[in-house]
């Protein structure tokens, strides 16, 4: 009996590029989103890699979705280069603005159901969390809304297509205690979040051949990624205005801390390693700095 | 366990040709290459020949890769001049060997393998994918084995799960691990090998063309014999690429063992030859230390500024001396005329000299240092180039034509690869991989190759052309023994008899007589001294230290050494202290110790060590090759 093809959905997020020189702040210290360069966040990239793994290993169909303004399509293009995705979804509407994680999850739930020619997804993959003030709740909440079991911090997984189940390894860090690798078996459909350390490995000849083929395909697809892009507004998603955007967001923000503006104050001094006098001076300086440094 | 029809081990020119030919024949094959990407581990001189022998046929690269090869492949230049120089300390006598070079060829292209091989890989893998195969790089084949009761071969790698195949083509180079594992042949000994050492030198395109008196469609090859090898059997070569020069030399390993000199010193000697020095000369900036008393901060600011300007100068100048470059600059609107670009270059120079302590003078720019062993097919070609269902091709089979100025391994490996692929395809069709059906058939095919003939006997016609080219050398020039041979050979009636006699003796007995320090060093020196012209260079090239050369190479160090020293006190290993091209060996209390980190996998030390290639992706990656 031929196995049912595997449909994968990934939800990603466009994030400000926090690497030096790319961040821009408003005068009041808040992030200037318009000026800051945006990239596919590292956590989303890990999720995308997990989808690529499904593509290479199980010949899966992959759809990638994101909620955000139209510029978010850049993140989708990046995600396509990584994963050789077949569909790129952008969920974009003014009324989605101001959404908290729950309202976002509602949009994503609807998005997932539109994925893969409306077949939805057997596995939905998200990143562990985003780096711009997200709390790691979007994934689990979307899973809850979809009614899928949720497996977090996945570092490795296999799919049994015949029995329609997943066997996943998840990494649990118990601070100050010890680390645990937990193995979980769950039926499909399932929602997993990829651990930031996730790295797929391809260990057989057929996987490596498929890897090479997919990398080539991804490159040529991404060259005209617009062809794969589908934009959905609230209406197209069939969203209930009460559950999306600001009205759908029960979260009360108690206090916002300003982003500590790190004004570059570093000064570089070069020291000739062969010159003992200069080395002495450097050691003294370090000692002084260390004794003066406030201990927090 | 997964199963495929054929495994090709090694993604150099030979392996990729085998893969493509199998795909052309509709067969499924998987090629495994240890380098992180194809082309990072291959080194050649290298002139790639396409030939049309009068007797018999050879398979050329375009027979396999199609006409696209000529139009699309990233080769460097068509070599149209071929000149041999006999050198002494300050004299040089040149013989135009272009007719020898053109003997029975369709064309000859200079190539840089790190650019050229990836093109072959793309072409071969595109075709192979259609047959369910392809190219997998970053995978090192560790071993192969046969399971009892099955004809299939199991391929074991350091990176992937083992898999089964029905036949194997071993294209894994001179230090073939498959030859070791299967014991299909012994390791090559120093008598059978040459050590090749090479540097790639930068020279802007049109300067290069002016200097070598060639058009953009042409290229030059210059060969050197005499004092440049520092008393070793061997010779130097200089091939023009598009905007670089491949300069190198090959040394017979026996003579290196007898008289060990560090390979980097040998190549320095070649670079400093006055004639070579003039060929590679370029305008090169140097920056003096600042004498004035300035603060550290100011010094750093000046340094960064100078680096920025030097980069701008360098890029602009490379463009200025390249046809496409000039076009690009003018089309971009940045400059209106060629003169304007020249003006800008001069201004940059002026600024660098006046403000940033730079000096511009004669020197040369070295881009990459490399070394590799080359098998001398006359002495070491495998007589039965197979073991069970494993067929050996190219360097792995010890097959290369090495006669006088001829160093041909690329074309020979390509010819072998087609024959091996054809033999394997035939076996797949009949599902018969018996030695009599596969191995013997391949052996017979290889024996029929005109290249094999060249490895077995002297080609009278070739010799005649060679002697015609050298007819101006007086017969009495060299000691009575060689003078005698020379005279014999120059007479058309006697030549036939002499060649016949020589071929009767066979290469085995002939070679020690002909390939000697006398013929390779002393005779050319005498010719240069007696007939040559003075050469003078107005500068001495500033050659980089070995440390600097190593620092320029890309490595992905393997924590596990791929070489194990088993005889730390042997005479052979003691010589490695000098003969390793990157000085990986040192001697401590009489024991030879290896530090594998700088290893460029040349294979020189393989004879008395447990030698493997590094694991997949690991080790050196060449940018030019
Ligand atoms: C200095 C110099 C000058 C030369 N000049 C010329 C010239 O002008 N003209 C000419 O025709 N020939 C010349 N040659 C010879 C020519 O370069 C070689 O004969 C030719 O490159 C051999 O090709 P190959 O594919 O057989 O082997 P290689 O190019 O050595 O390829 C072997 C490949 O196998 C891979 N490999 C090895 N072991 C494993 C393993 N276990 N698992 C996976 N992969 C593995 C290696 O990484 C490598 O890519 C010259 C050689 C040298 C060194
Ligand atoms: S260690 Fe051996 S293989 Fe490596 S560069 Fe030195 S001689 Fe060559």
């Amino acid at each position: 009996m031929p196995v049912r093809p595997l449909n994968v959905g990934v939800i990603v997020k466009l994030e400000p590029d926090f690497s030096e020189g790319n961040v821009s702040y408003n005068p009041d210290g808040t992030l200037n989103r318009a000026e800051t360069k945006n990239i596919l966040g590292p956590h989303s990239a890990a999720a995308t890699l997990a989808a690529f793994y499904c593509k290479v290993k199980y010949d899966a169909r992959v759809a990638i979705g994101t909620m955000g303004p139209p510029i978010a399509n850049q993140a989708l293009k990046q995600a396509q280069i990584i994963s050789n995705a077949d569909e790129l979804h952008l969920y974009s509407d003014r009324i989605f603005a101001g959404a908290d994680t729950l309202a976002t999850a509602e949009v994503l739930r609807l998005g997932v159901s539109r994925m893969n020619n409306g077949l939805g997804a057997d596995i939905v993959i998200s990143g562990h969390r985003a780096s711009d003030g997200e709390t790691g709740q979007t994934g689990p909440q979307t899973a809850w809304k979809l009614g899928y079991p949720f497996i977090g911090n996945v570092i490795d997984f296999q799919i049994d297509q015949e029995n329609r189940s997943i066997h996943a390894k998840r990494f649990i860090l118990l601070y100050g205690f010890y680390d645990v690798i937990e193995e979980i078996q769950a039926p499909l459909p399932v929602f997993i979040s990829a651990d930031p350390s996730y790295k797929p490995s391809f260990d057989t000849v057929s996987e490596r051949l498929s890897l090479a083929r997919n990398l080539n395909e991804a490159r040529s697809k991404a060259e005209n990624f617009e062809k794969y892009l589908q934009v959905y507004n609230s209406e197209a998603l069939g969203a209930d205005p009460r559950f999306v955007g600001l009205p759908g967001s029960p979260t009360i923000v108690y206090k916002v801390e300003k982003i500590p503006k790190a004004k570059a104050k570093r000064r570089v001094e070069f020291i000739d390693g062969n010159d003992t006098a200069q080395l002495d001076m450097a050691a003294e300086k370090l000692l002084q700095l260390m004794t003066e440094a406030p201990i927090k | 366990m997964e199963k495929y029809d054929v495994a090709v081990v090694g993604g150099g020119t030979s392996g990729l040709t085998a893969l493509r030919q199998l795909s052309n024949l509709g067969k499924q094959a998987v090629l495994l290459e240890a380098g992180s990407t194809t082309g990072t581990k291959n080194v050649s001189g290298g002139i790639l020949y396409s030939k049309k022998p009068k007797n018999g046929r050879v398979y050329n690269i375009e027979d396999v890769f199609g006409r696209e090869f000529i139009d699309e492949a990233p080769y460097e230049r068509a070599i149209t001049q071929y000149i041999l120089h006999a050198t002494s300390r300050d004299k040089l006598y040149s013989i135009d060997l272009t007719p020898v070079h053109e003997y029975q060829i369709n064309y000859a292209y200079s190539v840089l393998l790190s650019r050229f091989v990836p093109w072959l890989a793309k072409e071969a893998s595109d075709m192979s994918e259609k047959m369910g195969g392809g190219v997998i790089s970053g995978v090192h084949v560790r071993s192969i084995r046969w399971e009892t009761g099955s004809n299939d071969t199991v391929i074991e790698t350091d990176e992937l799960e083992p898999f089964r195949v029905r036949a194997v083509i071993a294209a894994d180079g001179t230090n073939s691990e498959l030859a070791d594992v299967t014991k299909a042949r012994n390791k090559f000994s120093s008598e059978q090998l040459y050590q090749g050492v090479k540097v790639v030198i930068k020279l802007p395109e049109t300067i290069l063309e002016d200097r070598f008196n060639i058009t953009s469609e042409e290229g030059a090859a210059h060969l050197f014999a005499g004092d440049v090898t520092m008393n070793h059997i061997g010779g130097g070569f200089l091939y023009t690429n598009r905007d670089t020069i491949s300069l190198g030399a090959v040394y017979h390993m026996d003579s290196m063992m007898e008289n060990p000199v560090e390979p980097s010193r040998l190549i320095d000697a070649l670079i400093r030859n006055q004639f070579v020095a003039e060929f590679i000369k370029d305008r090169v900036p140097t920056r003096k230390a600042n004498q004035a008393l300035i603060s550290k901060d100011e010094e750093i600011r000046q340094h960064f500024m100078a680096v920025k300007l030097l980069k701008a100068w360098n890029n602009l100048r490379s463009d200025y001396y390249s046809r496409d470059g000039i076009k690009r600059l003018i089309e971009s609107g940045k400059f209106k005329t060629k003169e304007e670009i020249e003006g800008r270059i001069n201004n940059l120079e002026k600024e660098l000299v006046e403000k940033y302590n730079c000096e511009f003078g004669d020197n040369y720019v070295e881009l990459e240092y490399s070394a590799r062993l080359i098998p001398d097919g006359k002495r070491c070609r495998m007589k039965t180039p197979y073991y069970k269902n494993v067929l050996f091709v190219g360097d792995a089979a010890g097959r290369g034509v090495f006669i006088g100025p001829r160093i041909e391994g690329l074309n020979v490996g390509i010819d072998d690869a087609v024959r091996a692929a054809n033999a394997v395809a035939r076996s797949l069709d009949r599902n018969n991989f018996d030695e009599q059906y596969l191995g013997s058939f391949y052996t017979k095919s290889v024996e029929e190759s005109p290249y094999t003939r060249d490895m077995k006997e002297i080609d009278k016609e070739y010799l005649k052309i060679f002697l015609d080219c050298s007819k101006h050398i007086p017969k009495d020039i060299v000691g009575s023994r060689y003078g005698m041979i020379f005279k014999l050979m120059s007479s058309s009636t006697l030549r036939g008899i002499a060649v016949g006699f020589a071929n009767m003796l066979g290469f085995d007995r002939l070679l020690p007589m002909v390939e000697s320090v006398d013929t390779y060093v002393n005779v050319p020196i005498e010719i240069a001294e007696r007939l040559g012209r003075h050469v003078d260079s107005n500068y001495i090239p500033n050659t980089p230290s070995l440390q600097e050369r190593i620092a320029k190479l890309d490595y992905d160090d393997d924590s596990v050494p791929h070489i194990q020293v088993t005889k730390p006190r042997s005479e052979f290993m003691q010589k490695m202290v000098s003969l390793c091209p990157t000085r990986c060996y040192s001697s401590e209390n009489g024991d030879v110790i290896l530090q594998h980190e700088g290893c460029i996998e040349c294979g020189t030390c393989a004879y008395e060590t447990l030698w493997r290639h590094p694991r997949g992706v690991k080790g050196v990656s060449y940018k030019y090759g």
Side-chain angles (χ1 to χ4, degrees), chain A residues 15-91:
Chain A
E15 287 175 22
D17 183 356
F18 282 117
S19 59
E20 208 171 317
N22 290 326
V23 199
S24 164
Y25 299 100
N26 294 321
D28 66 351
T30 53
L31 192 68
N32 180 343
R33 284 189 183 260
E35 291 284 303
T36 299
K37 259 199 183 167
N38 284 294
I39 52 163
L40 183 74
H43 295 277
S44 293
T48 314
L49 262 181
F52 185 56
Y53 171 75
C54 295
K55 184 113 197 131
V56 171
K57 191 153 176 173
Y58 305 109
D59 203 14
R61 182 177 172 87
V62 171
I64 299 185
T66 187
M67 185 186 94
I71 49 158
N73 63 12
Q74 283 309 314
L76 289 173
K77 179 181 178 179
Q78 256 177 301
Q80 189 172 39
I81 295 174
I82 298 175
S83 68
N84 190 22
D86 307 281
E87 283 178 28
L88 304 173
H89 287 200
L90 178 62
Y91 314 122

Side-chain angles (χ1 to χ4, degrees), chain B residues 19-122:
Chain B
L19 179 72
R20 173 68 191 235
Q21 177 68 1
L22 282 165
S23 316
N24 288 351
L25 299 170
K27 307 300 178 208
Q28 178 198 50
V30 177
L31 182 145
L32 304 159
E33 163 58 40
S36 54
T37 55
T38 46
T40 53
K41 296 276 189 194
N42 312 94
V43 179
S44 189
I47 303 183
L48 170 61
Y49 281 95
S50 166
K51 299 223 169 183
K52 45 174 180 200
K54 258 198 217 133
N55 299 313
R57 83 161 285 188
V58 294
Y59 296 95
N60 291 314
I61 193 152
E62 67 277 12
D63 298 333
V64 183
F65 286 84
R67 285 296 304 174
E68 298 91 287
F69 172 79
I70 313 256
D71 303 327
E72 293 170 17
Y75 54 80
E76 300 292 319
R77 284 173 186 275
I79 299 296
T80 48
Q81 283 178 18
Y82 197 81
I83 297 162
L84 173 68
H85 307 279
T87 67
S88 66
R89 204 179 55 80
D90 56 357
K91 283 180 145 187
L92 180 109
Y93 181 76
S94 311
I95 308 167
D96 186 352
L97 289 184
T98 307
V100 172
H101 160 74
E102 286 172 346
Y103 176 63
Q104 299 187 342
I105 70 166
N106 297 312
Y107 59 78
Y109 293 145
S110 55
V111 291
L112 286 168
L113 291 185
S114 302
R115 296 184 189 172
F116 183 68
V117 167
W119 186 88
L120 298 180
K122 167 103 188 28

Side-chain angles (χ1 to χ4, degrees), chain B residues 188-356:
Chain B
F188 296 137
S189 66
S190 58
E191 194 244 336
Q192 301 172 315
L193 293 166
Y194 277 75
Q195 189 184 47
V197 190
K198 178 183 150 183
V199 288
V200 177
I201 291 165
K202 183 175 164 214
L203 195 63
E205 189 178 345
T206 51
I207 296 184
L208 182 148
E209 285 164 10
D210 288 345
R211 186 155 311 152
F212 289 89
N213 197 16
I214 49 178
T215 66
S216 89
E217 268 77 54
E218 295 171 331
H222 291 260
L223 307 159
F224 303 90
D227 78 323
V228 286
T229 56
M230 292 174 84
N231 252 335
H232 295 91
I233 297 175
F237 61 83
L238 183 159
Y239 304 145
T240 55
N241 302 317
R242 180 58 38 207
D243 54 5
T244 57
I245 285 175
S246 292
L247 176 70
V250 296
Y251 310 95
H252 191 219
M253 273 313 289
D254 256 0
S255 79
M256 290 286 268
M257 297 295 287
E258 236 166 69
N259 167 17
V261 179
E262 286 188 20
S264 66
R265 278 191 50 212
L266 288 171
I267 200 89
D268 287 348
L270 180 63
I271 293 168
R272 294 211 188 102
N273 173 284
Q274 315 236 5
F275 188 65
V276 173
E278 280 300 303
F279 265 157
I280 60 178
K281 185 164 81 181
D282 198 8
R283 192 164 172 76
V284 180
T286 40
R287 199 158 171 255
K288 289 178 298 182
N290 199 333
Q291 296 301 322
L293 279 175
I294 50 168
S295 69
K296 267 262 173 290
D297 283 359
E298 176 57 15
E299 199 179 316
I300 289 162
R301 194 195 66 79
Q302 286 203 8
H303 176 74
F304 282 121
M305 222 21 230
V307 169
K308 206 174 131 188
L309 291 178
L310 281 169
K311 258 194 186 155
W313 174 83
N314 189 40
N315 292 342
L316 203 58
R317 186 167 174 272
S318 295
D319 279 346
Y320 177 76
Y321 288 111
S322 123
R323 282 184 197 80
D324 290 348
I326 289 214
K327 231 168 71 191
R328 221 179 13 249
L329 285 178
I330 292 178
E331 276 171 8
S332 74
K334 280 193 204 134
F335 296 89
K336 283 195 199 65
T337 59
K338 202 175 161 196
E339 288 64 41
E340 200 182 316
I341 305 170
E342 195 181 350
R344 175 79 188 119
I345 294 172
N346 291 339
N347 285 344
L348 279 169
E349 265 189 32
K350 203 160 149 235
E351 194 179 348
L352 279 159
V353 171
E354 285 171 3
K355 291 198 196 148
Y356 299 100

